[in-house]
Amino acid sequence: MLEKTNQVNLLFDFYAPLLKGKQREYLELYYLDDLSLGEIAEMHEVSRQAVYDHIKRAERQLFEYEEKLLLAAKHEQRQALLERIRRIVEELADGEAREELQALLHQLSEMD
Amino acid sequence: MLEKTNQVNLLFDFYAPLLKGKQREYLELYYLDDLSLGEIAEMHEVSRQAVYDHIKRAERQLFEYEEKLLLAAKHEQRQALLERIRRIVEELADGEAREELQALLHQLSEMD
């Protein structure tokens, strides 16, 4: 379950803007704010089943988007490469270049 | 028109997997393969108007996806940062580190 939660959270970071109204809203309340289905249902005055359906559909969509665009997978690969680059840069004797490179690598890493 | 063609081509690179059947197909024939609306219509035995409608909808979707996910904009920013990093790395006195970094930066750039 924790594994699933982590995956959904990660995918949500990348694809949230593509999800539609209720799907995005309920998914966020359930996974990010950790409310129960019952609590979300009560809050929105809808059935528990309706909340469940929206969340399940939203989950499916997140996994479908990832299958098509691979943003999370590419993010991970990029971060791994950046980490290798950072380690080499750390060891550079040229202090000025090292600091400049570290600043740029930090920017690059944050962008992702 | 060339500007528009370039934009659509760029966005197509990022979002093509999200487009549906005919929309993707006609857009590709029109923008990437440079066929005319008439030629596509004849090839698929549909009206010129139908081809036009699918292409227009596909274009709108590409621009909407970019508005939401900004993949093309981020790509451009990342490439600009990578270019600055590459220029500093080129000047490094430490030949071994330089070559290792260049190889990793190349991988990073290609991934995007």
Side-chain angles (χ1 to χ4, degrees), chain A residues 35-90:
Chain A
L35 297 191
S36 71
L37 295 176
E39 287 169 325
I40 301 169
E42 200 173 323
M43 179 191 282
H44 282 81
E45 300 183 344
V46 294
S47 70
R48 198 178 166 290
Q49 184 65 40
V51 174
Y52 179 82
D53 291 345
H54 277 299
I55 290 175
K56 283 296 137 187
R57 194 168 317 146
E59 281 175 9
R60 272 201 305 278
Q61 288 196 328
L62 289 180
F63 285 98
E64 270 176 42
Y65 286 135
E66 177 62 11
E67 218 171 275
K68 288 176 177 169
L69 296 185
L70 296 171
L71 297 186
K74 286 184 191 165
H75 167 79
E76 209 171 302
Q77 288 171 28
R78 264 200 298 266
Q79 291 295 336
L81 278 170
L82 276 172
E83 188 48 40
R84 290 172 62 192
I85 293 172
R86 258 195 298 261
R87 262 188 251 132
I88 299 170
V89 166
E90 241 168 55

